[in-house]
Every structure is written in structure tokens, then in C-alpha cells.
């Protein structure tokens, strides 16, 4: 176990800016995906299932879900814990809640229920969300417990690549969210199968800013 949490790696300022931009992008994109009601990422899908049974906000429910998986990250690889862990685990759900409140104030009633709006915003919202998630993870300042566990599992299962582990991991959360009544749709499936490859691609593109 590497106890390197909150250590300052090379080009820390660049990494910190990347992490903050990534989390803000991810929260912004998530708020749109939730409002479009065409599915969310697997982790948020499970969170939506939880709030069907527990009367708390989405942001609070997501934080509590992350705290459960956080215990496993503490046990198996503390090097994955850092500023990015706090940024995503604590703030992502609340950023999404904030933007959903903004949409409720500036858009007319039923705006996100219109088919042209849903279809028109689907791809941009999904792109922003996936790029945000990939950017904050590429910064290398720690990941959310949900995002960190696939790295741990991949490191202990040499026969499976990270891409495969990530897809299996997301698919399991998608199934659990579906059982609990979370919002499963085309977005959930897209994130489950494409986030892993995109993380790898973004990591290669942004490596020059952090090394």
C-alpha cells in the first residue's frame, strides 16, 4: 500500500486546475443528463435508486454512497486518495444539484420534456460529462472511490485490462441502479461501455500538461 495521498506531484498547479475543471464539467453535464431523463452514469443511477427509498438530496446520497466505497480504497490503495478524491466525492453531486436548481429557475416548465430538446442536448451533455470525468482522473490527484476501485481491481486481475474491468464495474452498478428504480437509459449504457476507453484516450492527450 502506498501512503502517498495528498502528495504534490510534478506540475501540481496544472493538475489542480485540470481536476477542478474536470469536476465542474462533470457536475454540469450530469445536471443535464438527469433532467433529460434518458439515463445517467451508472454511479448516479444507483444514487437515484437510493433516493427513491431515502428522503435526502441527490448530492447527499451520492456522497454517502462514495463513503461506503471509500473504505475499500483506504484498505487497498491509499495512493488513489487526494484532492481529486475530495473534489469528486464531496462536490460532484452538489454541483449537479446546483445546476438543476439553475435550470428550474431559467427554463420554462416542461422544457426538458420536449423531444427536440432531449435529443438536441443528449450528445453535448454526454460529451461534457465523459470529458469532465476523464480530465479530473487524468490530473492524477486522486479519484473518487467509485472511479478508484476499478484501478485497484485491474491491478489485482492481470488478465483483464482496465477498460474491461471498468466496463464490468459500471455494468454492475447499472444493474443495481435499475433494480432500485434508478434512471437507466441510453446514457447509462453509453457511459458503461465508453468511459473506460475515453479515459485512456484523454490521458494520452493531456499527458504533456502534467509530466
Amino acid at each position: 500500500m502506498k501512503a502517498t495521498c495528498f502528495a504534490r506531484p510534478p506540475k501540481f498547479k496544472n493538475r489542480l486546475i485540470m481536476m477542478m475543471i474536470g469536476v465542474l464539467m462533470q457536475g454540469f453535464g450530469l445536471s443535464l443528463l438527469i433532467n433529460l431523463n434518458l439515463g445517467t452514469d451508472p454511479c448516479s443511477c444507483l444514487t437515484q435508486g437510493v433516493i427513491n427509498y431515502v428522503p435526502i438530496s441527490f448530492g447527499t446520497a451520492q456522497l454517502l454512497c462514495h463513503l461506503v466505497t471509500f473504505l475499500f480504497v483506504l484498505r487497498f490503495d491509499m495512493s488513489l486518495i487526494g484532492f481529486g478524491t475530495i473534489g469528486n466525492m464531496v462536490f460532484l453531486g452538489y454541483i449537479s444539484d446546483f445546476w438543476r436548481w439553475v435550470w428550474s429557475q431559467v427554463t420554462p416548465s416542461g422544457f426538458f420534456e420536449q423531444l427536440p430538446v432531449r435529443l438536441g442536448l443528449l450528445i453535448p451533455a454526454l460529451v461534457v460529462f465523459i470529458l469532465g470525468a476523464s480530465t479530473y482522473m487524468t490530473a492524477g490527484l486522486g479519484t473518487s472511490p467509485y472511479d478508484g476501485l476499478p484501478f485497484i481491481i485491474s491491478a489485482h486481475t492481470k488478465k483483464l485490462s482496465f477498460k474491461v474491468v471498468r466496463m464490468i464495474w459500471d455494468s454492475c452498478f447499472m444493474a443495481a441502479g435499475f433494480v432500485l428504480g434508478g434512471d437507466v437509459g441510453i446514457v447509462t449504457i453509453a457511459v458503461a461501455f465508453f468511459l473506460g476507453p475515453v479515459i485512456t484516450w484523454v490521458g494520452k492527450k493531456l499527458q504533456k500538461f502534467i509530466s
Side-chain angles (χ1 to χ4, degrees), residues 14-30 84 87-88 92 95 127-139 206:
N14 288 2
R15 292 172 182 269
L16 187 62
I17 293 173
M18 280 177 57
M19 182 274 290
M20 291 188 293
I21 290 175
V23 171
L24 289 171
M25 286 176 60
Q26 194 178 5
F28 179 83
L30 179 57
N88 185 284
L92 177 61
I95 292 171
V127 168
V128 169
F129 176 84
I130 291 180
L131 286 179
S134 302
T135 299
Y136 106 83
M137 280 187 273
T138 298
L206 297 180

Side-chain angles (χ1 to χ4, degrees), residues 53-136:
Y53 298 91
V54 184
I56 55 179
S57 71
F58 175 84
T60 300
Q62 190 156 74
L63 173 58
L64 293 176
C65 289
H66 278 312
L67 286 175
V68 174
T69 51
F70 184 65
L71 297 176
F72 291 93
V73 177
L74 281 176
R75 168 63 179 82
F76 291 103
D77 195 347
M78 287 182 63
S79 69
L80 294 173
I81 301 172
F83 293 99
T85 308
I86 304 303
N88 185 284
M89 181 174 73
V90 177
F91 296 109
L92 177 61
Y94 293 116
I95 292 171
S96 175
D97 283 345
F98 167 76
W99 280 109
R100 291 191 69 204
W101 172 81
V102 171
W103 306 139
S104 71
Q105 300 299 309
V106 302
T107 59
S109 177
F111 176 78
F112 288 100
E113 298 174 9
Q114 301 175 53
L115 185 59
V117 172
R118 298 176 74 196
L119 297 179
L121 289 177
L122 173 60
I123 298 301
L126 184 58
V127 168
V128 169
F129 176 84
I130 291 180
L131 286 179
S134 302
T135 299
Y136 106 83

